[in-house]
């Protein structure tokens, strides 16, 4: 089964890929045979079904393993691998913003922020990413007192000025594509001293907010260096155990080589990625081919 939107392989009739929808009301083992199971469902019951299926059908690739997906559905654990990696080379440095997890009791947030040494303004994000629009909403808190108005469980991240542009880095296996998206504008010290309260934003980096054709300052628009992204993607594929994900990356304003990963999304909307049909189809074919070779080798 390769679960997908119909246009995915509309221009690829001769590639020999069949997409078969899985019937969730029937046992997975009774369906197929499959080369690849492609899914985006969550929930304990589905995770257990897939784990059992992987044990009994090692010849089938599950994209991606449920436990690995679960890891990036929680913003507490999501960026930990980036922080642990602490990537720095001649092309730049990649880190994560300083952050704090608040699981309950909004009244305790101001003290917790002071104790953690976080500087205002702070971006607040829901702790769990569950695919809903609400889990992608952001709030920007300008002052200490207003932090009590936030709704835990959440993650607080120091806001890093980045010229109002973020880079969406789409990863499909070993393929990488980068697009620019408009983001939250920079906050000056003057604005910080004059403003108070919590400002809520819907999902910031949607396709409609594309910045690829905008007249941007070249220092803001310059894409992160390719070798840096390749190294980052390679390390995160290995550490996360995922092959289908994207990274939201920002460049600290006023620097050329200081980058932060602020979010990781599993199996994002690849329709926003340039050449996605071609890249996705080639990825699936290469995966099926390597599976076939592996099985042929073990049988030989």
């Amino acid at each position: 089964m390769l679960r997908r939107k119909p246009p995915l392989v509309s221009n690829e009739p001769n590639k020999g890929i069949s997409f078969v929808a899985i019937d969730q009301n029937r046992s997975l083992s009774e369906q197929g045979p499959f080369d690849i199971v492609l899914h985006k469902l969550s929930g304990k019951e589905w995770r257990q079904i897939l784990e059992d299926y992987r044990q009994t059908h090692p010849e089938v690739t599950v994209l991606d393993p449920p436990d690995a997906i679960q890891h990036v559905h929680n913003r507490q654990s999501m960026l930990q691998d980036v922080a642990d990696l602490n990537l720095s080379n001649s092309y730049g440095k990649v880190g994560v913003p300083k952050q704090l997890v608040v699981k309950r009791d909004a009244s305790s947030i101001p003290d917790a922020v002071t104790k953690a040494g976080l500087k205002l303004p702070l971006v607040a994000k829901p702790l769990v990413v569950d695919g809903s629009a609400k889990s992608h909403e952001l709030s920007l808190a300008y002052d200490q007192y207003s932090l009590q108005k936030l709704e835990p469980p959440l993650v607080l991240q120091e806001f890093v000025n980045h010229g109002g542009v973020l880079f969406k880095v789409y990863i499909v296996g070993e393929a990488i594509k980068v697009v620019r998206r408009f983001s939250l504008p920079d906050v000056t010290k003057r604005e910080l001293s004059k403003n108070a309260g919590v400002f809520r934003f819907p999902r910031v980096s949607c396709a409609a907010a594309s910045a690829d054709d905008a007249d941007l300052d070249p220092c803001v628009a310059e894409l992160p260096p390719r070798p840096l992204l390749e190294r980052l993607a390679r390390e995160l594929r290995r550490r996360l155990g995922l092959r289908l994900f994207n990274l939201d990356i920002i460049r600290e304003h006023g620097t050329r080589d200081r980058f932060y990963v602020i979010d990781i999304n599993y199996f994002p909307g690849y329709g926003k990625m340039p050449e996605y049909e071609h890249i996705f189809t080639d990825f699936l074919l290469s995966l099926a081919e390597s599976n076939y070779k592996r099985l042929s080798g073990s049988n030989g």
Side-chain angles (χ1 to χ4, degrees):
M1 158 260 196
L2 296 177
R3 207 172 180 87
R4 46 83 186 186
K5 293 180 179 176
L8 179 65
V9 287
S10 58
N11 300 324
E12 306 283 355
N14 58 347
K15 293 270 186 167
I17 298 179
S18 297
F19 287 83
V20 182
I22 280 180
D23 182 351
Q24 288 178 257
N25 297 315
R26 290 172 55 210
S27 162
L28 205 49
S29 293
E30 291 174 8
Q31 303 174 63
F34 303 127
D35 295 302
I36 299 165
V37 172
L38 178 64
H39 72 105
K40 201 177 178 178
L41 297 174
S42 55
K44 285 183 181 176
E45 193 179 341
W46 175 247
R47 285 212 308 275
Q48 193 57 55
I49 288 169
L50 275 186
E51 283 299 341
D52 292 346
Y53 185 78
R54 288 176 75 207
Q55 297 300 321
T56 54
H57 295 79
E59 75 283 3
V60 179
T61 298
V62 173
L63 286 178
D64 270 312
D67 288 347
I69 297 168
Q70 202 62 18
H71 186 72
V72 295
H73 277 175
N74 184 305
R75 286 195 168 100
Q76 182 171 9
S77 55
M78 175 194 288
L79 300 180
Q80 192 55 52
D81 287 294
V82 182
D84 292 345
L85 182 56
N86 194 24
L87 178 57
S88 181
N89 61 23
S90 58
Y91 294 100
K93 185 173 173 60
V94 181
V96 300
K98 201 168 179 182
Q99 69 175 33
L100 172 70
V101 174
V102 181
K103 293 190 175 174
R104 59 183 75 84
D105 188 12
S107 64
S108 69
I109 297 177
D111 284 345
V113 164
T114 303
K115 202 174 284 184
L118 265 63
K119 294 176 187 166
L120 294 159
L122 295 173
V123 179
K125 304 177 182 182
L127 180 60
V128 175
V129 183
D130 59 9
S132 67
K134 191 169 176 60
S135 70
H136 290 283
E137 286 178 358
L138 305 180
S139 299
L140 194 59
Y142 277 86
D143 67 291
Q144 201 86 356
Y145 177 76
S146 298
L147 292 169
Q148 300 175 71
K149 298 176 185 174
L150 296 170
E151 298 170 21
L154 52 80
V155 169
L156 294 172
Q157 283 181 351
E158 280 190 346
F159 181 74
V160 178
N161 281 335
H162 53 281
V165 171
L166 66 76
F167 305 102
K168 275 206 168 289
V169 181
Y170 290 96
I171 294 159
V172 180
E174 294 181 15
I176 300 171
K177 282 281 179 183
V178 189
V179 295
R180 300 177 190 86
R181 293 276 181 265
F182 283 116
S183 178
L184 299 179
D186 289 351
V187 178
T188 65
K189 286 182 181 175
R190 187 165 178 272
E191 286 171 331
L192 188 57
S193 64
K194 284 196 157 197
N195 287 317
V198 173
F199 296 83
R200 300 186 193 282
F201 300 88
R203 189 166 191 157
V204 173
S205 60
C206 61
S210 173
D212 277 330
D213 300 320
D215 185 17
L216 298 169
D217 177 341
C219 296
V220 171
E222 184 184 3
L223 296 177
R226 187 81 190 176
L228 187 69
L229 292 181
E230 286 173 351
R231 169 90 189 277
L232 179 63
R234 186 169 64 246
E235 288 286 350
L236 289 180
R237 270 199 311 271
R238 184 174 63 81
R239 288 168 182 250
L240 295 171
L242 298 174
R243 282 170 281 196
L244 301 173
F245 61 101
N246 79 358
L247 311 170
D248 287 352
I249 296 181
I250 57 173
R251 175 194 285 111
E252 186 173 352
H253 197 41
T255 76
R256 193 168 178 200
D257 60 359
R258 185 77 177 95
F259 300 95
Y260 294 89
V261 177
I262 57 172
D263 239 339
I264 300 176
N265 303 293
Y266 170 66
F267 203 160
Y270 283 111
K272 303 162 193 171
M273 181 182 94
E275 304 170 48
Y276 81 100
E277 283 192 10
H278 170 71
I279 290 169
F280 208 91
T281 306
D282 283 354
F283 165 64
L284 295 175
L285 286 170
S286 67
L287 206 55
E289 196 174 311
S290 62
N291 271 4
Y292 179 73
K293 284 179 180 171
R294 177 172 58 85
L295 289 169
S296 300
S298 62
N299 292 337

